[in-house]
């Protein structure tokens, strides 16, 4: 090979080795691993007309955090189901977590809330350590809503560890992910926003997922990696809290700390504008969930 050609080849190799890794290159599995069949540990296609109580529990109105403006209730009005074929683009039946305007609702703790909504979890029914959790979800274009899909440990927070697979606060072009644990809770540094490409947003169906392993946690949307947190990154702030079982949560909050911090709205409710309140009253706001699955 001529010396000049050899120099070009060597230089090209050096330049290639200096390029930063793309997000698409951070998946922890090889192509062979990805093709291997995976065990399904948990699955719900929401084909039944009511909630499968062998898989889920419903959180009630005694629970309240983050100055959220709703109370959670166990009601077919806030935890609804539509049969296959009812929602365009859905693969099967669909779960709806739907907030309702309920002015003056009194909780067992004496708090007054003007909204009720739904929150379901697998706590005490199913949990897992390491694997892939996914859900196919579509959400409304509504400022100040706060639907989420996430994992939480069974101990005391934040030491128990929290993996937020999808959080949405009403700006339809992005969703967020986060990790919370000892030393990195609340306004955690381990957080990332994903901005959708032109032509799509949260109002369309998307698969939100996390690949959780002993050394890293990789968040994905529609199979595309969007953020990776390695064990070393986490341990820079505190103890790695992700080697213990976590259960699954789906909930629809309204207003509160995260939306208000994002949109700056204080009236008529913290983080929740009148426009969204009016739409809640009309019943046209809900989080749609096609299915949830956990694999390993």
């Amino acid at each position: 090979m001529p010396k000049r050609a050899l120099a070009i080849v060597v230089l090209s190799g050096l330049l290639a080795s200096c390029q930063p890794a793309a997000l698409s290159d951070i998946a922890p599995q090889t192509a062979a691993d990805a093709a291997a069949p995976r065990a399904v540990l948990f699955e719900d296609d929401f084909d039944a007309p009511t909630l499968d109580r062998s898989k889920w529990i419903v959180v009630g109105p005694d629970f309240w955090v983050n100055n959220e403006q709703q109370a959670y209730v166990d009601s077919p009005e806030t935890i609804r189901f539509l049969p296959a074929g009812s929602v365009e683009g859905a693969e099967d039946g669909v779960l709806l977590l739907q907030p309702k305007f309920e002015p003056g609702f009194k909780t067992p703790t004496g708090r007054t809330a003007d909204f009720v909504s739904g929150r379901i979890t697998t706590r005490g029914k199913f949990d897992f350590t390491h694997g892939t959790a996914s859900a196919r979800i579509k959400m409304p274009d509504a400022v100040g809503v706060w639907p989420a899909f996430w994992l939480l440990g069974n101990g005391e927070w934040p030491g128990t560890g929290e993996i937020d697979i999808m959080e949405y606060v009403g700006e339809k072009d992005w969703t967020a992910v986060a990790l919370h644990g000892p030393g990195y809770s609340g306004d955690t540094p381990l957080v990332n926003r994903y901005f959708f490409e032109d032509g799509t947003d949260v109002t369309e169906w998307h698969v939100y997922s996390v690949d959780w392993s002993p050394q890293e946690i990789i968040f994905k949307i529609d199979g595309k990696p969007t953020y990776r947190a390695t064990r070393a990154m986490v341990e820079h702030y505190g103890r790695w809290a992700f080697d213990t079982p976590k259960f699954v949560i789906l909930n629809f909050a309204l207003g509160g700390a995260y939306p208000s911090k994002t949109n700056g709205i204080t009236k008529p409710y913290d983080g929740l504008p009148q426009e969204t309140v009016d739409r809640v009253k009309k019943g046209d706001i809900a989080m749609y969930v096609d299915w949830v699955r956990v694999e390993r």
Side-chain angles (χ1 to χ4, degrees):
M1 179 182 295
K3 291 183 178 179
R4 182 173 180 275
L6 179 60
I8 291 173
V9 170
V10 171
L11 178 59
S12 298
L14 289 172
L15 288 172
S17 67
C18 293
Q19 297 302 309
L23 274 172
S24 59
D25 297 329
I26 67 176
Q29 300 167 313
T30 65
D33 291 336
R38 309 189 73 195
V40 177
L41 307 181
F42 176 91
E43 187 171 30
D44 199 335
D45 290 332
F46 302 115
D47 282 335
T50 59
L51 188 68
D52 186 341
R53 303 282 174 148
S54 70
K55 297 178 178 179
W56 303 94
I57 66 168
V58 178
V59 175
D62 54 337
F63 179 86
W64 184 51
V65 292
N66 301 319
N67 200 36
E68 296 169 3
Q69 298 301 295
Q70 84 294 328
Y72 290 118
V73 295
D74 188 346
S75 167
E77 289 192 337
T78 58
I79 304 171
R80 299 178 53 212
F81 294 84
L82 296 176
S86 300
V87 181
E88 184 178 358
E91 298 174 5
D92 297 290
V94 176
L95 162 70
L96 278 71
L97 296 182
Q98 186 162 23
K100 295 288 185 180
F101 186 61
E102 194 74 26
F105 180 87
K106 293 288 187 181
T107 73
T109 59
R111 181 172 71 95
T112 299
D114 287 342
F115 306 91
V116 294
S117 191
R119 176 182 173 120
I120 63 174
T121 91
T122 65
R123 185 169 193 170
K125 305 286 187 179
F126 167 80
D127 57 24
F128 70 107
T129 306
H130 307 141
T132 297
S134 307
R136 189 167 187 257
I137 298 170
K138 67 178 296 186
M139 293 174 290
D141 177 8
V143 175
V145 298
W146 191 1
F149 165 48
W150 48 302
L151 309 176
L152 188 64
N154 294 288
E156 184 177 351
W157 190 90
T160 189
E162 175 181 330
I163 303 174
D164 296 331
I165 305 169
M166 185 284 298
E167 287 189 280
Y168 169 58
V169 292
E171 297 185 358
K172 69 176 182 176
D173 59 338
W174 63 272
T175 60
V177 300
L179 297 179
H180 299 268
Y184 47 96
S185 61
D187 287 329
T188 174
L190 298 164
V191 63
N192 190 65
R193 293 181 180 181
Y194 173 75
F195 288 85
F196 289 91
E197 297 178 0
D198 291 344
T200 187
D201 57 43
V202 302
T203 64
E204 298 179 3
W205 288 108
H206 296 286
V207 176
Y208 301 91
S209 63
V210 66
D211 292 338
W212 168 27
S213 75
Q215 295 301 322
E216 62 184 3
I217 296 172
I218 299 176
F219 298 92
K220 297 179 179 179
I221 296 179
D222 298 328
K224 175 184 177 180
T226 60
Y227 180 64
R228 176 180 66 175
T230 66
R231 190 178 192 117
M233 288 169 61
V234 172
E235 290 179 340
H236 177 75
Y237 298 100
R239 177 179 55 82
W240 171 266
F242 306 105
D243 287 329
T244 55
K246 308 283 187 278
F247 56 89
V248 180
I249 305 173
L250 290 163
N251 69 281
F252 197 129
L254 290 173
Y258 196 176
S260 64
K261 182 175 67 175
T262 302
N263 59 38
I265 293 169
T266 59
K267 295 181 180 180
Y269 299 93
D270 186 35
L272 195 64
Q274 187 63 51
E275 174 188 358
T276 300
V277 173
D278 293 340
R279 291 182 59 195
V280 171
K281 291 178 181 180
K282 293 177 182 177
D284 68 349
I285 287 179
M287 173 188 185
Y288 294 76
V289 187
D290 197 359
W291 49 258
V292 175
R293 191 172 301 134
V294 177
E295 302 167 282
R296 183 184 297 136

